[in-house]
Amino acid sequence: QVQLVESGGGLVQAGGSLRLSCTASGSIFRTMAWYRQAPGRQREFLAAVTTSGATNVADSVKDRFTISRDNAKSTVSLQLNSLQPEDTAVYYCNADDDQLRPWWGQGTQVTVSS
């Protein structure tokens, strides 16, 4: 059974940092990624990483966010630095299984105060 479980969200002041983690189980995941969705907004792609270590990060956050992956533990992390109030959103982990079916975590809330 496929499961994606996120953790690490919370409340921080502007300029602060958070590290989000996602643990996936139940399949082999070629690509794992992070998205976010703010109230009233569409879900936004942030970053992705493959089993080979190739990464793709959205231009809007490339200077502040870093994605990494631990294949042995089937985890993907997102380091959030220099957070601003506009970064406030629910952050979601995403992964494609060996049948190329997409799976989503439950989301973790990130709130940045000014």
Side-chain angles (χ1 to χ4, degrees), residues 7-39:
S7 63
L11 174 64
V12 298
Q13 292 183 311
S17 298
L18 285 173
R19 185 175 179 86
L20 309 181
S21 295
C22 172
T23 300
S25 61
S27 185
I28 297 172
F29 303 99
R30 175 180 172 86
T31 302
M32 301 184 70
W34 286 95
Y35 292 72
R36 68 183 179 187
Q37 187 166 22

Coordinates of all heavy atoms in Angstrom, one line a residue, residues 7-39:
S7 N 6.1 15.9 7.2 CA 6.3 16.5 8.5 C 7.2 17.7 8.4 O 7.8 17.9 7.3 CB 6.9 15.5 9.5 OG 8.2 15.1 9.1
G8 N 7.2 18.5 9.4 CA 8.2 19.6 9.5 C 7.6 21.0 9.3 O 8.3 22.0 9.5
G9 N 6.3 21.1 9.0 CA 5.7 22.4 8.9 C 5.5 23.1 10.3 O 5.7 22.4 11.3
G10 N 5.2 24.4 10.2 CA 5.0 25.1 11.5 C 4.9 26.6 11.2 O 4.7 27.0 10.1
L11 N 5.0 27.3 12.3 CA 4.9 28.8 12.3 C 6.3 29.4 12.5 O 7.0 29.0 13.5 CB 3.9 29.2 13.4 CG 3.8 30.7 13.6 CD1 3.3 31.4 12.4 CD2 3.0 31.0 14.8
V12 N 6.7 30.2 11.6 CA 8.0 30.9 11.7 C 7.9 32.4 11.4 O 6.9 32.8 10.7 CB 9.1 30.3 10.8 CG1 9.3 28.8 11.2 CG2 8.6 30.4 9.3
Q13 N 8.8 33.2 11.8 CA 8.9 34.6 11.5 C 9.6 34.8 10.2 O 10.3 33.9 9.7 CB 9.6 35.3 12.6 CG 8.9 35.4 13.9 CD 9.7 36.3 14.9 OE1 10.9 36.1 15.1 NE2 9.0 37.2 15.5
A14 N 9.3 35.9 9.5 CA 9.9 36.2 8.3 C 11.4 36.2 8.4 O 12.0 36.7 9.4 CB 9.4 37.6 7.8
G15 N 12.1 35.6 7.4 CA 13.5 35.4 7.5 C 14.0 34.1 8.1 O 15.1 33.7 8.0
G16 N 13.0 33.4 8.6 CA 13.4 32.1 9.3 C 13.4 30.9 8.3 O 13.2 31.1 7.1
S17 N 13.7 29.7 8.8 CA 13.8 28.6 8.0 C 13.0 27.4 8.5 O 12.8 27.3 9.8 CB 15.3 28.1 7.9 OG 16.1 29.2 7.3
L18 N 12.7 26.5 7.7 CA 12.1 25.2 8.0 C 12.6 24.1 7.1 O 13.1 24.4 6.0 CB 10.5 25.3 7.9 CG 9.7 26.0 8.9 CD1 8.3 26.1 8.4 CD2 9.8 25.3 10.2
R19 N 12.6 22.9 7.6 CA 12.9 21.8 6.8 C 11.8 20.8 6.8 O 11.4 20.2 7.8 CB 14.2 21.1 7.3 CG 14.7 19.9 6.5 CD 16.0 19.3 7.0 NE 16.5 18.2 6.2 CZ 17.2 18.4 5.1 NH1 17.6 19.6 4.7 NH2 17.6 17.3 4.4
L20 N 11.2 20.6 5.6 CA 10.1 19.6 5.4 C 10.6 18.3 5.0 O 11.6 18.2 4.2 CB 9.1 20.1 4.4 CG 8.6 21.6 4.5 CD1 7.6 21.9 3.4 CD2 8.0 21.8 5.9
S21 N 10.0 17.2 5.5 CA 10.4 15.9 5.1 C 9.2 15.1 4.7 O 8.0 15.3 5.2 CB 11.0 15.1 6.3 OG 12.3 15.8 6.7
C22 N 9.4 14.1 3.8 CA 8.3 13.3 3.3 C 8.9 11.8 3.2 O 9.9 11.6 2.6 CB 7.8 13.7 1.9 SG 6.7 12.6 1.1
T23 N 8.2 10.9 3.9 CA 8.6 9.5 3.8 C 7.6 8.7 3.0 O 6.4 8.8 3.3 CB 8.7 8.9 5.2 OG1 9.7 9.6 5.9 CG2 9.1 7.4 5.1
A24 N 8.1 8.0 1.9 CA 7.2 7.3 1.0 C 7.4 5.8 1.2 O 8.6 5.4 1.4 CB 7.5 7.7 -0.4
S25 N 6.4 5.0 1.1 CA 6.5 3.6 1.2 C 5.5 2.9 0.3 O 4.5 3.5 -0.1 CB 6.2 3.1 2.7 OG 4.9 3.5 3.1
G26 N 5.7 1.7 0.0 CA 4.8 0.9 -0.8 C 5.1 0.7 -2.3 O 4.4 0.0 -3.0
S27 N 6.1 1.4 -2.8 CA 6.5 1.3 -4.2 C 7.9 1.8 -4.4 O 8.6 2.3 -3.5 CB 5.5 2.0 -5.1 OG 5.8 1.8 -6.4
I28 N 8.4 1.7 -5.6 CA 9.6 2.4 -6.1 C 9.1 3.7 -6.7 O 8.2 3.7 -7.5 CB 10.3 1.5 -7.1 CG1 10.8 0.2 -6.4 CG2 11.5 2.3 -7.7 CD1 11.4 -0.7 -7.4
F29 N 9.8 4.8 -6.3 CA 9.3 6.1 -6.8 C 10.5 6.7 -7.6 O 11.5 7.2 -7.0 CB 9.0 7.0 -5.6 CG 7.9 6.4 -4.7 CD1 8.2 5.7 -3.6 CD2 6.5 6.5 -5.1 CE1 7.2 5.1 -2.8 CE2 5.5 5.9 -4.4 CZ 5.8 5.2 -3.2
R30 N 10.3 6.8 -8.9 CA 11.3 7.4 -9.7 C 11.5 8.9 -9.4 O 12.6 9.4 -9.4 CB 10.9 7.1 -11.2 CG 11.9 7.8 -12.2 CD 11.4 7.5 -13.6 NE 12.2 8.3 -14.5 CZ 13.4 8.0 -15.0 NH1 13.9 6.8 -14.7 NH2 14.0 8.8 -15.9
T31 N 10.4 9.6 -9.3 CA 10.4 11.0 -9.1 C 9.6 11.4 -7.8 O 8.5 10.9 -7.7 CB 9.8 11.8 -10.3 OG1 10.6 11.4 -11.5 CG2 9.9 13.3 -10.1
M32 N 10.1 12.2 -7.0 CA 9.4 12.7 -5.9 C 9.5 14.2 -5.9 O 10.5 14.8 -6.4 CB 10.0 12.2 -4.5 CG 10.0 10.7 -4.4 SD 10.6 10.1 -2.8 CE 9.2 10.6 -1.7
A33 N 8.5 14.9 -5.5 CA 8.4 16.4 -5.7 C 7.6 17.0 -4.5 O 7.0 16.4 -3.7 CB 7.7 16.7 -7.0
W34 N 7.8 18.3 -4.5 CA 7.1 19.2 -3.5 C 6.2 20.2 -4.3 O 6.7 20.8 -5.3 CB 8.0 19.9 -2.6 CG 8.6 19.0 -1.6 CD1 9.8 18.4 -1.6 CD2 8.0 18.7 -0.3 NE1 10.0 17.7 -0.4 CE2 8.9 17.8 0.4 CE3 6.8 19.0 0.3 CZ2 8.7 17.3 1.6 CZ3 6.6 18.5 1.6 CH2 7.5 17.6 2.2
Y35 N 5.0 20.4 -3.8 CA 4.1 21.4 -4.3 C 3.6 22.2 -3.1 O 3.7 21.8 -1.9 CB 2.9 20.8 -5.0 CG 3.2 20.2 -6.3 CD1 3.9 19.0 -6.4 CD2 2.8 20.7 -7.5 CE1 4.1 18.3 -7.6 CE2 3.0 20.1 -8.8 CZ 3.7 18.9 -8.8 OH 4.0 18.3 -10.0
R36 N 3.0 23.4 -3.4 CA 2.3 24.1 -2.3 C 1.0 24.7 -2.8 O 0.9 25.0 -4.0 CB 3.2 25.2 -1.7 CG 3.5 26.3 -2.6 CD 4.5 27.3 -1.9 NE 4.8 28.4 -2.8 CZ 5.7 29.3 -2.5 NH1 6.4 29.3 -1.3 NH2 6.0 30.3 -3.4
Q37 N 0.1 25.0 -1.9 CA -1.2 25.6 -2.3 C -1.6 26.6 -1.2 O -1.8 26.2 -0.1 CB -2.2 24.6 -2.5 CG -3.5 25.1 -3.1 CD -4.5 24.1 -3.6 OE1 -4.4 22.9 -3.3 NE2 -5.4 24.5 -4.5
A38 N -1.7 27.9 -1.6 CA -2.2 28.9 -0.7 C -3.7 29.0 -0.8 O -4.2 28.7 -1.9 CB -1.4 30.2 -1.0
P39 N -4.3 29.6 0.2 CA -5.8 29.8 0.1 C -6.2 30.6 -1.2 O -5.6 31.6 -1.4 CB -6.1 30.5 1.3 CG -5.1 30.1 2.3 CD -3.8 30.0 1.5

